[in-house]
Short mmCIF file of all heavy atoms in Angstrom, two decimals:
data_model
loop_
_atom_site.label_atom_id
_atom_site.label_comp_id
_atom_site.label_asym_id
_atom_site.label_seq_id
_atom_site.Cartn_x
_atom_site.Cartn_y
_atom_site.Cartn_z
N PRO A 2 -11.45 -37.63 -17.72
CA PRO A 2 -12.37 -38.67 -17.33
C PRO A 2 -13.02 -38.32 -15.98
O PRO A 2 -12.43 -37.70 -15.19
CB PRO A 2 -11.48 -39.89 -17.23
CG PRO A 2 -10.08 -39.30 -17.09
CD PRO A 2 -10.13 -38.06 -17.78
N ILE A 3 -14.25 -38.78 -15.79
CA ILE A 3 -15.03 -38.48 -14.59
C ILE A 3 -15.12 -39.73 -13.71
O ILE A 3 -14.72 -39.70 -12.47
CB ILE A 3 -16.36 -37.96 -14.98
CG1 ILE A 3 -16.29 -36.62 -15.70
CG2 ILE A 3 -17.27 -37.80 -13.72
CD1 ILE A 3 -17.53 -36.09 -16.28
N THR A 4 -15.50 -40.91 -14.29
CA THR A 4 -15.67 -42.07 -13.54
C THR A 4 -14.30 -42.72 -13.19
O THR A 4 -13.32 -42.51 -13.85
CB THR A 4 -16.53 -43.12 -14.27
OG1 THR A 4 -15.88 -43.54 -15.42
CG2 THR A 4 -17.87 -42.58 -14.61
N SER A 5 -14.35 -43.52 -12.08
CA SER A 5 -13.07 -44.03 -11.65
C SER A 5 -12.50 -45.09 -12.68
O SER A 5 -11.31 -45.16 -12.80
CB SER A 5 -13.25 -44.73 -10.34
OG SER A 5 -14.19 -45.78 -10.38
N SER A 6 -13.37 -45.77 -13.37
CA SER A 6 -12.84 -46.66 -14.38
C SER A 6 -12.28 -46.05 -15.54
O SER A 6 -11.31 -46.46 -16.14
CB SER A 6 -14.03 -47.61 -14.86
OG SER A 6 -15.05 -46.87 -15.38
N ALA A 7 -12.82 -44.85 -15.94
CA ALA A 7 -12.27 -44.07 -17.03
C ALA A 7 -10.89 -43.48 -16.61
O ALA A 7 -10.00 -43.36 -17.40
CB ALA A 7 -13.20 -42.93 -17.31
N LYS A 8 -10.74 -43.07 -15.36
CA LYS A 8 -9.45 -42.61 -14.80
C LYS A 8 -8.47 -43.69 -14.91
O LYS A 8 -7.30 -43.41 -15.31
CB LYS A 8 -9.61 -42.05 -13.39
CG LYS A 8 -10.41 -40.80 -13.28
CD LYS A 8 -10.57 -40.36 -11.85
CE LYS A 8 -11.45 -39.16 -11.78
NZ LYS A 8 -11.75 -38.78 -10.31
N LYS A 9 -8.78 -44.88 -14.52
CA LYS A 9 -7.91 -46.03 -14.56
C LYS A 9 -7.50 -46.35 -16.01
O LYS A 9 -6.38 -46.61 -16.29
CB LYS A 9 -8.50 -47.28 -13.92
CG LYS A 9 -7.59 -48.50 -13.95
CD LYS A 9 -8.16 -49.66 -13.20
CE LYS A 9 -7.34 -50.78 -13.36
NZ LYS A 9 -7.84 -52.06 -12.73
N ALA A 10 -8.49 -46.32 -16.87
CA ALA A 10 -8.23 -46.54 -18.28
C ALA A 10 -7.26 -45.50 -18.90
O ALA A 10 -6.32 -45.85 -19.63
CB ALA A 10 -9.54 -46.53 -19.05
N LEU A 11 -7.35 -44.30 -18.50
CA LEU A 11 -6.44 -43.25 -18.91
C LEU A 11 -5.02 -43.51 -18.41
O LEU A 11 -4.05 -43.38 -19.16
CB LEU A 11 -6.93 -41.85 -18.41
CG LEU A 11 -6.06 -40.74 -18.83
CD1 LEU A 11 -6.08 -40.53 -20.30
CD2 LEU A 11 -6.46 -39.49 -18.10
N ARG A 12 -4.90 -43.89 -17.12
CA ARG A 12 -3.63 -44.24 -16.57
C ARG A 12 -2.98 -45.42 -17.34
O ARG A 12 -1.79 -45.39 -17.74
CB ARG A 12 -3.65 -44.62 -15.12
CG ARG A 12 -3.98 -43.53 -14.17
CD ARG A 12 -3.71 -43.88 -12.67
NE ARG A 12 -4.38 -45.13 -12.31
CZ ARG A 12 -5.65 -45.12 -11.69
NH1 ARG A 12 -6.29 -44.02 -11.56
NH2 ARG A 12 -6.17 -46.33 -11.35
N GLN A 13 -3.71 -46.41 -17.62
CA GLN A 13 -3.26 -47.63 -18.40
C GLN A 13 -2.83 -47.24 -19.82
O GLN A 13 -1.74 -47.57 -20.30
CB GLN A 13 -4.37 -48.68 -18.47
CG GLN A 13 -4.65 -49.37 -17.22
CD GLN A 13 -5.82 -50.31 -17.36
OE1 GLN A 13 -6.73 -50.14 -18.22
NE2 GLN A 13 -5.77 -51.47 -16.64
N ASN A 14 -3.62 -46.32 -20.44
CA ASN A 14 -3.27 -45.85 -21.82
C ASN A 14 -2.03 -45.09 -21.81
O ASN A 14 -1.19 -45.33 -22.70
CB ASN A 14 -4.48 -45.01 -22.28
CG ASN A 14 -4.33 -44.58 -23.74
OD1 ASN A 14 -3.66 -45.26 -24.45
ND2 ASN A 14 -4.90 -43.49 -24.10
N VAL A 15 -1.71 -44.19 -20.85
CA VAL A 15 -0.54 -43.48 -20.83
C VAL A 15 0.66 -44.39 -20.60
O VAL A 15 1.67 -44.22 -21.24
CB VAL A 15 -0.62 -42.43 -19.66
CG1 VAL A 15 0.74 -41.79 -19.43
CG2 VAL A 15 -1.66 -41.34 -20.04
N ARG A 16 0.53 -45.31 -19.68
CA ARG A 16 1.59 -46.25 -19.40
C ARG A 16 1.92 -47.04 -20.59
O ARG A 16 3.11 -47.28 -21.03
CB ARG A 16 1.14 -47.14 -18.27
CG ARG A 16 2.35 -47.88 -17.52
CD ARG A 16 1.96 -48.64 -16.23
NE ARG A 16 1.14 -47.90 -15.36
CZ ARG A 16 -0.03 -48.17 -14.96
NH1 ARG A 16 -0.67 -49.22 -15.36
NH2 ARG A 16 -0.66 -47.43 -14.09
N ARG A 17 0.94 -47.61 -21.27
CA ARG A 17 1.09 -48.42 -22.45
C ARG A 17 1.73 -47.65 -23.60
O ARG A 17 2.59 -48.23 -24.36
CB ARG A 17 -0.24 -49.17 -22.83
CG ARG A 17 -0.67 -50.23 -21.91
CD ARG A 17 -1.97 -50.80 -22.28
NE ARG A 17 -2.42 -51.74 -21.30
CZ ARG A 17 -3.68 -52.00 -21.06
NH1 ARG A 17 -4.67 -51.48 -21.66
NH2 ARG A 17 -3.99 -52.97 -20.19
N ARG A 18 1.27 -46.44 -23.77
CA ARG A 18 1.82 -45.60 -24.82
C ARG A 18 3.35 -45.35 -24.75
O ARG A 18 4.04 -45.48 -25.63
CB ARG A 18 1.06 -44.33 -24.84
CG ARG A 18 1.48 -43.40 -26.02
CD ARG A 18 0.64 -42.12 -26.10
NE ARG A 18 0.88 -41.37 -27.29
CZ ARG A 18 1.93 -40.48 -27.34
NH1 ARG A 18 2.69 -40.21 -26.29
NH2 ARG A 18 2.16 -39.88 -28.54
N THR A 19 3.81 -45.11 -23.48
CA THR A 19 5.22 -44.88 -23.32
C THR A 19 6.04 -46.14 -23.58
O THR A 19 7.03 -46.03 -24.23
CB THR A 19 5.46 -44.38 -21.83
OG1 THR A 19 4.98 -45.38 -20.94
CG2 THR A 19 4.92 -43.05 -21.59
N ILE A 20 5.49 -47.29 -23.18
CA ILE A 20 6.12 -48.53 -23.37
C ILE A 20 6.21 -48.86 -24.87
O ILE A 20 7.25 -49.26 -25.47
CB ILE A 20 5.41 -49.72 -22.60
CG1 ILE A 20 5.65 -49.55 -21.11
CG2 ILE A 20 6.01 -51.04 -23.04
CD1 ILE A 20 4.78 -50.44 -20.25
N ASN A 21 5.08 -48.67 -25.55
CA ASN A 21 5.00 -48.96 -27.03
C ASN A 21 5.93 -48.04 -27.78
O ASN A 21 6.54 -48.42 -28.77
CB ASN A 21 3.54 -48.85 -27.55
CG ASN A 21 2.74 -49.96 -27.12
OD1 ASN A 21 3.22 -51.11 -26.81
ND2 ASN A 21 1.42 -49.78 -27.05
N LEU A 22 5.96 -46.76 -27.45
CA LEU A 22 6.85 -45.81 -28.07
C LEU A 22 8.31 -46.21 -27.95
O LEU A 22 9.11 -46.12 -28.94
CB LEU A 22 6.66 -44.42 -27.63
CG LEU A 22 5.36 -43.70 -28.10
CD1 LEU A 22 5.25 -42.32 -27.43
CD2 LEU A 22 5.44 -43.53 -29.56
N LYS A 23 8.68 -46.64 -26.70
CA LYS A 23 10.00 -47.08 -26.44
C LYS A 23 10.39 -48.27 -27.33
O LYS A 23 11.47 -48.36 -27.95
CB LYS A 23 10.19 -47.44 -24.96
CG LYS A 23 11.53 -47.80 -24.62
CD LYS A 23 11.64 -48.11 -23.08
CE LYS A 23 12.97 -48.60 -22.68
NZ LYS A 23 13.02 -50.13 -22.68
N ARG A 24 9.52 -49.19 -27.35
CA ARG A 24 9.73 -50.47 -28.15
C ARG A 24 9.83 -50.09 -29.65
O ARG A 24 10.66 -50.69 -30.38
CB ARG A 24 8.63 -51.46 -27.96
CG ARG A 24 8.72 -52.15 -26.64
CD ARG A 24 7.49 -53.04 -26.36
NE ARG A 24 7.57 -53.73 -25.12
CZ ARG A 24 6.56 -54.35 -24.56
NH1 ARG A 24 5.38 -54.20 -25.06
NH2 ARG A 24 6.75 -55.02 -23.39
N LYS A 25 9.00 -49.28 -30.13
CA LYS A 25 9.01 -48.84 -31.48
C LYS A 25 10.28 -48.18 -31.91
O LYS A 25 10.82 -48.38 -32.99
CB LYS A 25 7.74 -47.99 -31.84
CG LYS A 25 7.31 -48.11 -33.25
CD LYS A 25 5.85 -47.73 -33.41
CE LYS A 25 5.27 -48.60 -34.53
NZ LYS A 25 3.89 -48.67 -34.52
N THR A 26 10.77 -47.25 -31.09
CA THR A 26 12.03 -46.62 -31.37
C THR A 26 13.18 -47.55 -31.36
O THR A 26 14.08 -47.43 -32.16
CB THR A 26 12.27 -45.38 -30.40
OG1 THR A 26 12.13 -45.89 -29.08
CG2 THR A 26 11.29 -44.25 -30.60
N GLU A 27 13.18 -48.49 -30.46
CA GLU A 27 14.26 -49.53 -30.39
C GLU A 27 14.19 -50.35 -31.72
O GLU A 27 15.25 -50.60 -32.28
CB GLU A 27 14.07 -50.45 -29.20
CG GLU A 27 14.35 -49.89 -27.87
CD GLU A 27 14.01 -50.87 -26.69
OE1 GLU A 27 13.49 -51.92 -26.98
OE2 GLU A 27 14.30 -50.45 -25.60
N LEU A 28 13.06 -50.72 -32.20
CA LEU A 28 12.92 -51.50 -33.45
C LEU A 28 13.47 -50.69 -34.53
O LEU A 28 14.22 -51.16 -35.43
CB LEU A 28 11.49 -51.82 -33.66
CG LEU A 28 11.17 -52.54 -34.96
CD1 LEU A 28 11.85 -53.90 -35.04
CD2 LEU A 28 9.66 -52.71 -35.13
N LYS A 29 13.03 -49.40 -34.69
CA LYS A 29 13.54 -48.47 -35.74
C LYS A 29 15.08 -48.36 -35.72
O LYS A 29 15.66 -48.28 -36.70
CB LYS A 29 12.83 -47.18 -35.74
CG LYS A 29 11.40 -47.29 -36.18
CD LYS A 29 10.72 -45.87 -36.04
CE LYS A 29 9.24 -46.02 -36.43
NZ LYS A 29 8.58 -44.72 -36.30
N SER A 30 15.59 -48.19 -34.53
CA SER A 30 17.09 -47.98 -34.45
C SER A 30 17.83 -49.18 -34.82
O SER A 30 18.89 -49.12 -35.44
CB SER A 30 17.43 -47.58 -33.02
OG SER A 30 17.18 -48.65 -32.08
N VAL A 31 17.34 -50.38 -34.54
CA VAL A 31 17.98 -51.71 -34.95
C VAL A 31 17.89 -51.78 -36.43
O VAL A 31 19.00 -52.11 -37.04
CB VAL A 31 17.25 -52.85 -34.33
CG1 VAL A 31 17.74 -54.21 -34.92
CG2 VAL A 31 17.57 -52.87 -32.80
N ILE A 32 16.84 -51.46 -37.03
CA ILE A 32 16.86 -51.51 -38.53
C ILE A 32 17.68 -50.43 -39.17
O ILE A 32 18.31 -50.74 -40.09
CB ILE A 32 15.27 -51.27 -39.00
CG1 ILE A 32 14.47 -52.48 -38.59
CG2 ILE A 32 15.19 -51.06 -40.49
CD1 ILE A 32 13.00 -52.32 -38.75
N LYS A 33 17.73 -49.30 -38.54
CA LYS A 33 18.55 -48.21 -39.05
C LYS A 33 20.09 -48.56 -38.97
O LYS A 33 20.85 -48.31 -39.93
CB LYS A 33 18.30 -46.89 -38.31
CG LYS A 33 18.79 -45.67 -38.93
CD LYS A 33 18.53 -44.42 -38.13
CE LYS A 33 17.08 -44.08 -38.15
NZ LYS A 33 16.73 -42.80 -37.45
N ASP A 34 20.44 -49.21 -37.80
CA ASP A 34 21.83 -49.63 -37.65
C ASP A 34 22.17 -50.65 -38.69
O ASP A 34 23.27 -50.63 -39.28
CB ASP A 34 22.07 -50.16 -36.26
CG ASP A 34 22.02 -49.18 -35.20
OD1 ASP A 34 22.02 -47.98 -35.51
OD2 ASP A 34 21.82 -49.57 -34.07
N TYR A 35 21.38 -51.56 -39.01
CA TYR A 35 21.51 -52.64 -40.03
C TYR A 35 21.74 -51.94 -41.38
O TYR A 35 22.68 -52.29 -42.10
CB TYR A 35 20.32 -53.56 -40.04
CG TYR A 35 20.37 -54.60 -41.14
CD1 TYR A 35 21.30 -55.62 -40.94
CD2 TYR A 35 19.57 -54.47 -42.25
CE1 TYR A 35 21.33 -56.58 -42.04
CE2 TYR A 35 19.69 -55.40 -43.28
CZ TYR A 35 20.47 -56.52 -43.13
OH TYR A 35 20.58 -57.45 -44.10
N LYS A 36 20.86 -50.96 -41.72
CA LYS A 36 20.93 -50.32 -42.99
C LYS A 36 22.23 -49.51 -43.11
O LYS A 36 22.85 -49.41 -44.17
CB LYS A 36 19.76 -49.42 -43.29
CG LYS A 36 18.45 -50.23 -43.56
CD LYS A 36 17.34 -49.29 -43.93
CE LYS A 36 16.04 -50.09 -44.28
NZ LYS A 36 14.98 -49.25 -44.55
N LYS A 37 22.74 -48.99 -42.02
CA LYS A 37 23.98 -48.18 -41.98
C LYS A 37 25.15 -49.11 -42.32
O LYS A 37 26.10 -48.77 -42.94
CB LYS A 37 24.24 -47.54 -40.69
CG LYS A 37 23.43 -46.22 -40.57
CD LYS A 37 23.73 -45.60 -39.20
CE LYS A 37 22.80 -44.34 -38.98
NZ LYS A 37 23.05 -43.82 -37.65
N LEU A 38 25.14 -50.36 -41.73
CA LEU A 38 26.17 -51.31 -41.96
C LEU A 38 26.21 -51.68 -43.40
O LEU A 38 27.30 -51.78 -44.05
CB LEU A 38 25.92 -52.62 -41.15
CG LEU A 38 26.23 -52.53 -39.63
CD1 LEU A 38 25.82 -53.77 -38.97
CD2 LEU A 38 27.74 -52.32 -39.45
N ILE A 39 25.07 -51.93 -44.04
CA ILE A 39 25.02 -52.27 -45.49
C ILE A 39 25.53 -51.06 -46.34
O ILE A 39 26.28 -51.23 -47.28
CB ILE A 39 23.62 -52.65 -45.85
CG1 ILE A 39 23.35 -54.04 -45.19
CG2 ILE A 39 23.47 -52.75 -47.34
CD1 ILE A 39 21.98 -54.55 -45.41
N ALA A 40 25.09 -49.80 -45.97
CA ALA A 40 25.59 -48.62 -46.71
C ALA A 40 27.08 -48.47 -46.61
O ALA A 40 27.73 -47.97 -47.55
CB ALA A 40 24.82 -47.42 -46.24
N ALA A 41 27.64 -48.79 -45.48
CA ALA A 41 29.05 -48.69 -45.29
C ALA A 41 29.82 -49.76 -45.94
O ALA A 41 31.09 -49.76 -46.03
CB ALA A 41 29.40 -48.64 -43.78
N GLY A 42 29.15 -50.73 -46.51
CA GLY A 42 29.82 -51.92 -47.18
C GLY A 42 30.28 -53.00 -46.28
O GLY A 42 31.12 -53.78 -46.77
#
Side-chain angles (χ1 to χ4, degrees):
I3 296 170
T4 63
S5 60
S6 60
K8 289 176 185 175
K9 181 179 177 181
L11 180 67
R12 288 195 307 270
Q13 288 175 328
N14 187 22
V15 168
R16 197 175 308 124
R17 288 177 183 154
R18 183 173 187 274
T19 56
I20 292 169
N21 285 336
L22 284 174
K23 181 177 175 270
R24 287 176 175 160
K25 208 154 210 162
T26 53
E27 286 174 359
L28 176 65
K29 287 180 183 177
S30 66
V31 167
I32 293 171
K33 197 181 289 185
D34 291 343
Y35 174 76
K36 286 183 177 179
K37 281 181 185 175
L38 285 174
I39 290 176

